[in-house]
Amino acid sequence: MNDPTTGAPFPLPRRIPPEAGGFPPLELEALAQWIDGHPLADTQSAAATMLEAVHAINRVAIAPERLGPLADLLDSRVLPMLDLLDQRLRQLPVPLGRKSRALAETYTALSGELTITHLQRADDALQQGGTADPGALPHLARALLLTGCRCMHAWRLYQPVPEGIWLLIHRIFAAAERSGVASRAAPLHDNHHALVADSIDGLTARLAVLSATNVHALRQGEIDHLARWLNPLPLRCLDTPPADGGDGTPYLRILLDEDRLPSLLAGGHPPDTGTARYVALGPVLAAIRSGPGDPPRGWHPVSTGLDQRLLNLWVVGPKRHFSREPADTGPVISVTGLADIHALVRADYRHQRKLARGETSLFPSGVFVPGSDGDGSRIPGVFAGDRAEADEDSGLSLEERTTDTPGGTRWLADQDMDRLAVAWNSALRGIDPRLQDAGAAPAGRVPRPIAARLRDLGAGGLSLRLCAPAQKVFSGDLIAIRTTRQRHVYWQLGMIRWLRYDDPEDVTVGVQFLAPVCSPTEIQAYRAKRPSGKASPGLFLRLPGEPARGSLLFAPGTFAEGTRVVFRQSGELQTVSLDTIRSESHTFARADFLLSEVALA
């Protein structure tokens, strides 16, 4: 919780007045004796002791002139401990065991608390000297470096980064930018990490590039090599899209008011907002294509084949075009985000069952598709297969018949796409009045589908033009697409890999297919032969080309590896052990398993 007395731009905990003789000791010598009085032979115990001291000091109101020496003392003890923990964790195999996970959690918590200490000192400097005071620079730089190390720590372990960490990075950068010190050299000389805090601007840009490398698919150890390789490249945050973005060169967009990692943009004209910053990938691509040199100058992405993987991710994917399917075939219903997908897909599947039993009409309460003939019987979906295979009486065909031209076909106009999404959303609310409670959608916000047009389709993915989406779209998001095949409704699942703004309102997204069908379910821990804890929204899917394997998707960090869970599939409660969990992106984690391992609860 932020301290209301400071108005700090950072998430600082509330501080209370110190108590005489209380903990922690606020005299410099007493604090040093208390920390040094605990043996350092047991690394875990020593780190826990330091964590206790830093945590307590961060929640006591201390005058800036007293906090400075105490914080310097904490730096002298905690920074070497963080280096020691980091070295130990690097030597451990992944995934970590239970004891090793506790050590990793201590590292994350300790570095997070020391970050708060430096943010408090930066806030004090900004309040005393004003926004132009350079005295905040070393503390902002140290806080950003510690936060970046937490990201690196999570990426090495193939774990999600802590919630709120990207918003913290953005706020540190914004504070430095307002102070005019974002591009100044940071006076940090005791840094032995892969990251280099040469400037806040440069470090923010390098963290953005690292986050866009599909970090969860990197080989073990590659993230450190890549971070060091990026250090000498001239990367910085720009106020406007880079000039070479017009020719299709990809770049990254950072939204400073969002707790989201940067998105990959493949050119176009993104909306002009004061909270967006951009990072050109041109210098990185040029360094990749130039090769390691002769003789080689240290590690280069070509050493492990990472150069081709990055080119495929950043360049080849956005420029790939398929020719076996027609483009721009008509309106498509899609929805992004795990919680919204879970809620809307479940409501749609339930309604289809009611529709099959004749218990309801397709659009309740007189809500019709814009421009329809008034019977409200048609909802567009992705066209699959030959046009002759589409069932015109199912109400699920892409096309709509005109009333004045029998047998004629017309498509919804672009201006009708947003109205289509409104109608669909209204219908779903009528279908399932519990929609706001389905999954984990926040109270007061109704999940909303996005009307789109199919631009390009191939075996491995597709591109969609999202028409004036009501919510922000990011690369790495899950996206579900409504399809119809032989009188049945399915929701295909994919992941957004890149964005391209055709104009400030409409955005084209590149989607990588994950599964032809996904089923919403609720996943819950299973202990002592009964469900335990809170149920979490998830998706069940069968892996393409592997009929004997299934997969569960859920929010990152929801379950630990080895957890046995229960979920409902085909009306039955089933249990399975999540022996291997992979974070596919910042938005979802995935656990694959053999269907033969699934047992009835």
Side-chain angles (χ1 to χ4, degrees):
M1 173 171 198
N2 287 353
D3 187 343
T5 63
T6 66
F10 322 110
L12 299 175
R14 184 182 296 275
R15 299 190 295 168
I16 61 175
E19 297 180 0
F23 180 83
L26 300 182
E27 297 297 331
L28 192 62
E29 293 184 1
L31 180 61
Q33 291 177 2
W34 185 84
I35 295 177
D36 297 340
H38 293 75
L40 297 179
D42 185 349
T43 306
Q44 176 75 45
S45 176
T49 298
M50 295 180 185
L51 175 60
E52 183 182 6
V54 182
H55 180 274
I57 286 178
N58 285 338
R59 284 148 186 84
V60 176
I62 307 174
E65 59 272 14
R66 294 188 63 192
L67 178 61
L70 292 174
D72 291 339
L73 172 65
L74 293 177
D75 276 350
S76 67
R77 302 298 196 275
V78 175
L79 290 175
M81 175 57 68
L82 288 174
D83 289 340
L84 180 60
L85 293 176
D86 183 67
Q87 293 174 10
R88 287 194 57 182
L89 289 170
R90 289 170 186 267
Q91 298 170 2
L92 298 175
V94 178
L96 300 179
R98 185 174 56 183
K99 292 183 178 180
S100 299
R101 283 202 301 267
L103 194 66
E105 291 169 0
T106 300
Y107 175 91
T108 300
L110 185 56
S111 57
E113 288 295 334
L114 193 60
T115 299
I116 293 175
T117 304
H118 282 279
L119 290 178
Q120 184 62 65
R121 296 186 69 183
D123 184 53
D124 291 340
L126 291 174
Q127 289 195 31
Q128 290 178 347
T131 57
D133 182 15
L137 174 59
H139 306 301
L140 291 173
R142 178 65 72 184
L144 183 60
L145 180 60
L146 288 167
T147 305
C149 288
R150 276 197 288 166
C151 291
M152 293 287 292
H153 169 70
W155 293 336
R156 285 191 208 103
L157 301 180
Y158 302 95
Q159 295 294 322
V161 298
E163 184 178 359
I165 204 165
W166 281 105
L167 186 58
L168 178 58
I169 291 173
H170 299 160
R171 287 182 174 179
I172 294 173
F173 172 80
E177 196 175 50
R178 287 193 300 269
S179 303
V181 297
S183 299
R184 292 191 186 181
L188 300 182
H189 306 292
D190 56 344
N191 174 37
H192 305 287
H193 305 282
L195 296 174
V196 173
D198 53 346
S199 70
I200 291 176
D201 187 9
L203 180 54
T204 303
R206 284 194 293 276
L207 287 173
V209 173
L210 288 170
S211 72
T213 59
N214 194 15
V215 291
H216 302 293
L218 295 180
R219 297 168 185 167
Q220 191 165 356
E222 276 186 332
I223 190 67
D224 291 283
H225 290 302
L226 186 59
R228 291 189 176 92
W229 180 77
L230 288 174
N231 284 332
L233 298 185
L235 298 174
R236 56 187 297 263
C237 299
L238 308 172
D239 294 334
T240 59
D244 57 4
D247 61 6
T249 301
Y251 56 92
L252 303 177
R253 182 184 63 176
I254 303 172
L255 294 182
L256 298 179
D257 57 350
E258 295 285 343
D259 184 27
R260 302 294 291 266
L261 79 170
S263 289
L264 176 66
L265 271 62
H269 307 280
D272 185 14
T273 64
T275 63
R277 298 295 182 271
Y278 305 90
V279 179
L281 290 177
V284 185
L285 295 174
I288 289 175
R289 290 165 173 154
S290 66
D294 188 19
R297 299 182 298 272
W299 185 89
H300 188 275
V302 74
S303 305
T304 58
L306 181 59
D307 58 334
Q308 287 302 318
R309 283 178 277 152
L310 293 179
L311 291 175
N312 288 337
L313 181 65
W314 292 340
V315 180
V316 177
K319 291 186 177 180
R320 179 184 293 130
H321 293 285
F322 304 101
S323 58
R324 70 177 188 85
E325 296 285 353
D328 215 7
T329 55
V332 174
I333 293 295
S334 62
V335 60
T336 61
L338 177 61
D340 287 3
I341 291 173
H342 177 272
L344 292 178
V345 173
R346 183 171 68 171
D348 189 24
Y349 281 164
R350 284 177 174 174
H351 180 64
Q352 297 307 316
R353 290 193 293 269
K354 290 182 179 180
L355 186 67
R357 295 192 296 265
E359 298 176 3
T360 183
S361 60
L362 195 58
F363 272 84
S365 306
V367 180
F368 304 129
V369 176
S372 69
D373 55 8
D375 63 0
S377 62
R378 303 190 185 279
I379 301 178
V382 176
F383 186 80
D386 295 333
R387 184 162 300 188
E389 295 178 3
D391 188 350
E392 296 178 8
D393 296 328
S394 67
L396 302 174
S397 172
L398 273 174
E399 56 192 49
E400 293 184 350
R401 302 295 180 180
T402 60
T403 55
D404 54 346
T405 307
T409 300
R410 67 173 175 83
W411 309 109
L412 293 180
D414 285 343
Q415 57 266 28
D416 289 330
M417 298 299 287
D418 191 56
R419 295 171 56 202
L420 174 64
V422 174
W424 175 253
N425 184 70
S426 300
L428 282 175
R429 293 187 64 179
I431 291 168
D432 190 349
R434 298 171 297 173
L435 186 59
Q436 293 191 32
D437 298 326
R445 184 183 69 84
V446 178
R448 182 173 182 178
I450 302 173
R453 287 190 179 276
L454 182 64
R455 296 287 298 272
D456 205 5
L457 178 64
L462 55 81
S463 61
L464 290 173
R465 181 185 177 190
L466 307 183
C467 303
Q471 57 193 29
K472 295 177 181 177
V473 181
F474 301 86
S475 59
D477 278 350
L478 279 175
I479 184 169
I481 306 163
R482 195 174 192 268
T483 69
T484 59
R485 295 192 298 273
Q486 299 179 354
R487 304 178 64 91
H488 295 288
V489 173
Y490 302 95
W491 285 84
Q492 293 185 341
L493 191 67
M495 179 168 57
I496 297 175
R497 283 298 189 186
W498 52 266
L499 315 175
R500 180 173 58 243
Y501 282 88
D502 304 302
D503 56 60
E505 292 187 354
D506 297 346
V507 56
T508 297
V509 299
V511 179
Q512 174 190 344
F513 277 133
L514 296 180
V517 180
C518 68
S519 302
T521 186
E522 291 184 343
I523 311 173
Q524 200 169 0
Y526 192 71
R527 301 185 181 94
K529 297 185 178 181
R530 61 183 300 175
S532 174
K534 181 181 178 181
S536 301
L539 300 171
F540 171 79
L541 51 92
R542 296 177 185 270
L543 301 180
E546 300 184 62
R549 297 179 66 83
S551 184
L552 286 174
L553 272 57
F554 42 85
T558 305
F559 302 102
E561 288 188 333
T563 303
R564 191 163 192 86
V565 299
V566 58
F567 65 99
R568 185 177 295 277
Q569 177 63 20
S570 301
E572 296 181 331
L573 287 177
Q574 301 180 343
T575 68
V576 70
S577 178
L578 306 181
D579 294 329
T580 302
I581 298 176
R582 301 196 313 273
S583 292
E584 293 287 341
S585 84
H586 61 289
T587 60
F588 71 98
R590 173 174 170 172
D592 298 340
F593 48 84
L594 292 174
L595 295 177
S596 58
E597 298 173 351
V598 178
L600 294 178

